[in-house]
Amino acid sequence: MESKRARLDRYLAKALQIPRKQVRLLLMSGKVEVDGLLAKDMDLLIDEFNTISCDGRVLQACSPKYFMVHKPVGVVSATKDDEHKTVLELLPEAERSGLHIVGRLDLNTSGLLLLTNDSRWSEALMQPGAHVSKEYLVTLGNPLTEEYAPAFAAGMYFSFEDITTAPARLEVLDSHIARVVLTEGKYHQIKRMFGRFRNPVVALHRSRVGGLSLDENLAPGHWRALTRDEVQQALRDIGS
Ligand code: URA
């Protein structure tokens, strides 16, 4: 999802379908407002969440939206799908417009999924250099042994993509249950890492993304808006 930052003069030329020269005159004549303030600077950087008006006419007014969803097993992390219900369809239609998914979960994975219309926020969370941690509870078909944690910490080489996974933390919670913390999201990463031990993942649940944990009161299939603090909290461990 691309960030939509643009220079004000470029935005106005496109939105009003007028040449830049005319845009300059418009700005100089004091007819343009950004977030209720007079805007004369054509270099001003604006994004999709600035309210922009010209001559009293609102050209754009859109507020950022942030949601956490408790994704159930069997619901697909997509905005459209012909076969399965999508996470977007868990929200009422009135809330869905402009939303995209921040990092996917497999069809048979449950847990915390984030949705937003703020591409800068989702990019900050998802860019590879951000190393945002994601915590999973993993139930396995076979018992865990002492070999797992060092192997996860050392990283595993996957020849198919020619990658070595970043150090991951594995904590044994019970004979067949582990808590795993990843700082990346390679294709089917957890299943493939346990696959190295020929140990099938029976259930996979994401409980945390960055500093944001799944609300315990949110039943599978339910959602809620993030608070302002939570929006910041999700970004808490970026780059660490
Ligand atoms: N690892 C997986 O294998 N699946 C997920 O959905 C997330 C991490």
Side-chain angles (χ1 to χ4, degrees):
M1 191 57 50
E2 228 178 85
S3 171
K4 293 178 187 131
R5 262 187 145 197
R7 270 172 53 146
L8 181 60
D9 60 343
R10 288 211 182 114
Y11 168 83
L12 289 169
K14 200 166 168 207
L16 299 169
Q17 296 283 299
I18 54 172
R20 294 265 199 97
K21 238 188 210 168
Q22 215 173 315
V23 168
R24 230 168 284 148
L25 292 174
L26 211 55
L27 287 166
M28 280 181 345
S29 62
K31 288 187 173 158
V32 179
E33 285 188 4
V34 174
D35 296 337
L37 299 173
L38 201 64
K40 291 199 164 183
D41 178 5
M42 52 191 181
D43 294 338
L44 184 72
L45 284 180
I46 50 119
D47 65 28
E48 65 267 49
F49 303 123
N50 289 118
T51 299
I52 300 170
S53 63
C54 179
D55 233 351
R57 182 179 139 220
V58 177
L59 301 177
Q60 84 162 31
C62 169
S63 23
K65 296 192 270 190
Y66 310 89
F67 299 106
M68 74 159 70
V69 175
H70 186 162
K71 177 194 166 310
V73 166
V75 168
V76 70
S77 296
T79 48
K80 251 190 215 164
D81 194 88
D82 292 336
E83 209 181 324
H84 299 99
K85 187 170 186 164
T86 68
V87 281
L88 208 65
E89 286 164 347
L90 296 172
L91 275 75
E93 243 177 289
E95 299 285 9
R96 290 181 204 165
S97 141
L99 293 183
H100 60 269
I101 299 165
V102 188
R104 283 153 209 283
L105 291 175
D106 293 343
L107 185 65
N108 52 5
T109 301
S110 61
L112 176 59
L113 203 63
L114 301 170
L115 295 170
T116 186
N117 61 352
D118 181 352
S119 38
R120 270 198 281 160
W121 186 72
S122 55
E123 278 165 11
L125 275 170
M126 296 313 295
Q127 57 170 322
H131 304 301
V132 169
S133 63
K134 289 138 205 138
E135 185 178 289
Y136 296 86
L137 278 178
V138 194
T139 309
L140 297 143
N142 302 319
L144 291 146
T145 68
E146 281 173 4
E147 294 162 66
Y148 284 68
F152 274 64
M156 290 180 194
Y157 178 69
F158 289 109
S159 58
F160 184 65
E161 303 105 314
D162 189 23
I163 50 153
T164 300
T165 57
R169 206 170 72 228
L170 180 141
E171 198 184 332
V172 177
L173 301 181
D174 205 342
S175 65
H176 290 67
I177 301 178
R179 180 185 291 132
V180 174
V181 179
L182 301 181
T183 54
E184 57 188 356
K186 307 284 185 221
Y187 181 66
H188 294 330
Q189 185 165 347
I190 290 197
K191 288 172 194 147
R192 291 165 78 199
M193 290 179 89
F194 283 101
R196 274 293 154 85
F197 294 91
R198 298 191 190 286
N199 197 346
V201 170
V202 174
L204 183 56
H205 177 84
R206 183 158 72 187
S207 50
R208 180 174 62 76
V209 173
L212 194 61
S213 294
L214 179 64
D215 187 332
E216 285 175 5
N217 298 314
L218 217 53
H222 287 233
W223 62 277
R224 71 164 173 80
L226 297 185
T227 64
R228 208 182 275 232
D229 281 352
E230 285 173 331
V231 172
Q232 295 310 315
Q233 217 172 302
L235 305 173
R236 201 185 59 197
D237 66 351
I238 278 186
S240 59

